[in-house]
Structures are given as structure tokens and as C-alpha cells.
Amino acid sequence: MASVQAQQTLRFGPLLFDSDFDSGNMGRVTNLGVLSRTAAGNVKEQAFSIKVAPDCAGTAAENGNRSWFHFAISFLPHGKDPEDGGSKSRPSTSEEAPAAASTAIAAGPAAA
């Protein structure tokens, strides 16, 4: 079984999903799309699915358990880069919806 990368930084428009720190375990982030828009057509709410990596991902002790979740989500205003200058961030994907002033995040349990 291929190991999931637990420590990573991903950017979707103005949102920065980060688990690149000790015990971070964000395995995968999927943009589920826009839930609603404002009258002007801007994104009002957007949903994401976040799957956590297995315990001890990438080590000999990796197993199918998911005992904790530890990741961060930050809002970066348009044109701003993460503190590291964006060196770890991947460019936005084709799944990205237009940037919005506020974004709602729906995260729930994901199947293993």
C-alpha cells in the first residue's frame, strides 16, 4: 500500500491547508465545490473533504488507525503568500472556485 503524505501544505485559492508540522496528518484535501454564491456571483460558501493520514504515516509503524487529526486552515487575502514565500505551496488546481471574501469549510469524517 502506498503511503499517504501526512506533512504537506496545499493552497486552494485564498485557503491554505497546512499539516507541515510535528504530528500533522492531513492526508488529502478534495475541493467539493461551491455551495452558494452572492448576488454578485462571488463564492459565499465552498466545501472541502479532508482525509487524515493513517497513524505513523510513512514509518514502519504505519497502520490503518486514525487516532487523531492535526492540521491548520488559514485564509490568505488575494495576492498574499504564505510566510514561507509560497515555496511549499502548490499552485491552485482546476478544482478551484473563484476567490471569495469568506469561505465556509465543511469537514467531516472520511472513509478509510
Side-chain angles (χ1 to χ4, degrees):
M1 174 170 100
S3 180
V4 174
Q5 183 178 344
Q7 281 82 29
Q8 58 186 320
T9 301
L10 304 171
R11 187 167 183 178
F12 289 87
L15 296 176
L16 185 70
F17 294 79
D18 185 23
S19 64
D20 195 13
F21 44 81
D22 189 33
S23 77
N25 69 334
M26 178 179 68
R28 180 174 42 230
V29 178
T30 304
N31 186 339
L32 300 177
V34 175
L35 299 177
S36 66
R37 293 185 180 271
T38 65
N42 295 322
V43 174
K44 182 177 179 183
E45 295 179 305
Q46 189 170 354
F48 294 85
S49 171
I50 302 170
K51 183 174 181 173
V52 297
D55 293 354
C56 304
T59 71
E62 180 176 333
N63 57 55
N65 298 332
R66 286 165 173 81
S67 303
W68 75 89
F69 59 93
H70 195 183
F71 55 86
I73 304 171
S74 303
F75 177 79
L76 300 174
H78 184 69
K80 300 291 182 184
D81 287 325
E83 290 180 355
D84 69 352
S87 62
K88 293 185 280 186
S89 298
R90 293 194 319 207
S92 300
T93 68
S94 60
E95 298 174 337
E96 176 189 59
S102 66
T103 304
I105 300 170

